[in-house]
């Protein structure tokens, strides 16, 4: 199965992907250089296959890898990790997708320094990965998924999100929220520690401003 046609793009997103303006896309559409697809309501859209064709990439001889990526925060969640992998393998088998690599990762979705995740991104940049398949966006990254999706697209890699909410452990979300609160609490504590100095600096600044 060709998974590359799963993603459709609005003209604005597609223009950003190609590094051109929306007006350029509109002109190309009129001239027949790059024809837009149309929805039943006559809205324009573009596909990932069009992106590959525009870049001159031959999808028929694409031997890059299709990768399953599964992640949980701690090793206490091995059952959740196993469920993710099993679900994704069933998903791929049902669609005739041959999986070349299965990555099982441990680490918070807030952590950008996960070793296996970074190795996967390195392979993306090396043009070794065709498709990454995950159960849910937060399995790949908790925040900033859209940025990383566009980043992968720059290297002609598609991320397929199956969107199985049941395989996105809720306790992880709670842990991540607590982690964020802890960070801001520490910063707030630091501000309180220097409260008097901050107030004094503000007074000096006001005096200088009034003096001017």
């Amino acid at each position: 199965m060709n998974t590359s046609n799963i993603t459709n793009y609005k003209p604005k997103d597609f223009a950003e992907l190609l590094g051109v303006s929306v007006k350029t896309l509109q002109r190309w559409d009129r001239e027949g250089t790059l024809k837009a697809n149309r929805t039943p309501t006559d809205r324009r859209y573009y596909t990932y296959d069009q992106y590959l064709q525009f870049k001159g990439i031959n999808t028929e001889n694409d031997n890059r890898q299709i990768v399953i990526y599964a992640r949980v925060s701690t090793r206490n969640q091995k059952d959740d990790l196993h469920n993710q992998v099993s679900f994704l393998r069933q998903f791929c088998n049902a669609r005739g997708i041959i999986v070349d690599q299965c990555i099982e990762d441990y680490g918070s979705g807030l952590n950008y320094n996960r070793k296996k995740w970074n190795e996967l991104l390195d392979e993306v940049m090396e043009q070794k990965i065709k498709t990454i398949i995950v159960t849910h966006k937060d399995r790949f990254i908790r925040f900033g998924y859209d940025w990383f999706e566009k980043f992968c697209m720059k290297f002609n890699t598609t991320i397929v999100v199956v969107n199985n909410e049941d395989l996105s452990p809720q306790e992880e979300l709670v842990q991540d929220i607590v982690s964020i609160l802890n960070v801001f609490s520490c910063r707030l504590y630091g501000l309180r520690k220097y409260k008097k100095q901050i107030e004094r600096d503000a007074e000096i600044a006001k005096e200088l401003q009034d003096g001017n």
Side-chain angles (χ1 to χ4, degrees), residues 99-114:
V99 177
D100 300 293
Q101 186 181 170
C102 178
I103 299 175
E104 300 180 13
D105 207 359
Y106 292 94
S108 170
L110 298 173
N111 182 9
Y112 285 36
N113 292 319
R114 282 172 276 143

Side-chain angles (χ1 to χ4, degrees), residues 127-179:
Q127 300 281 355
K128 294 180 179 179
I129 306 299
K130 177 182 179 181
T131 309
I132 302 169
I133 306 175
V134 297
T135 57
H136 197 266
K137 289 181 179 180
D138 66 15
R139 297 303 85 204
F140 192 71
I141 193 71
R142 176 67 71 184
F143 298 119
Y145 171 83
D146 290 342
W147 188 93
F148 282 100
E149 181 184 39
K150 289 180 180 179
F151 170 82
C152 289
M153 288 290 294
K154 292 291 185 181
F155 297 95
N156 310 314
T157 299
T158 307
I159 304 178
V160 175
V161 181
V162 183
N163 271 332
N164 189 317
E165 296 284 351
D166 294 334
L167 295 175
S168 177
Q170 294 302 309
E171 62 269 23
E172 278 196 21
L173 177 58
V174 175
Q175 291 170 5
D176 289 342
I177 291 173
V178 170
S179 297

Side-chain angles (χ1 to χ4, degrees), residues 9-140:
Y9 297 91
K10 295 179 180 177
K12 180 181 177 181
D13 296 330
F14 198 69
E16 183 178 345
L17 188 64
L18 295 183
V20 299
S21 67
V22 174
K23 288 185 177 180
T24 297
L25 279 185
Q26 291 172 344
R27 176 167 56 81
W28 286 349
D29 187 25
R30 291 193 303 269
E31 296 172 350
T33 303
L34 182 59
K35 295 292 292 182
N37 299 288
R38 302 277 179 171
T39 68
T41 55
D42 204 36
R43 291 184 178 274
R44 291 183 301 128
Y45 72 93
Y46 297 86
T47 66
Y48 183 63
D49 280 338
Q50 284 179 294
Y51 169 76
L52 294 177
Q53 290 168 10
F54 182 84
K55 290 291 186 178
I57 298 171
N58 187 349
T59 57
E60 292 182 0
N61 299 319
D62 192 346
N63 295 320
R64 292 175 300 155
Q65 292 189 352
I66 295 177
V67 178
I68 282 176
Y69 180 84
R71 179 194 64 79
V72 290
S73 287
T74 68
R75 296 191 179 275
N76 293 331
Q77 297 172 284
K78 283 185 178 180
D79 289 342
D80 289 328
L81 187 65
H82 175 74
N83 290 338
Q84 284 181 53
V85 172
S86 296
F87 176 83
L88 290 174
R89 287 198 178 279
Q90 291 174 11
F91 173 85
C92 292
N93 289 338
R95 289 158 180 77
I97 301 172
I98 299 175
V99 177
D100 300 293
Q101 186 181 170
C102 178
I103 299 175
E104 300 180 13
D105 207 359
Y106 292 94
S108 170
L110 298 173
N111 182 9
Y112 285 36
N113 292 319
R114 282 172 276 143
K115 182 179 179 181
K116 291 184 178 180
W117 185 70
N118 276 279
E119 288 174 349
L120 176 59
L121 292 180
D122 285 342
E123 290 186 333
V124 168
M125 290 186 285
E126 292 167 1
Q127 300 281 355
K128 294 180 179 179
I129 306 299
K130 177 182 179 181
T131 309
I132 302 169
I133 306 175
V134 297
T135 57
H136 197 266
K137 289 181 179 180
D138 66 15
R139 297 303 85 204
F140 192 71

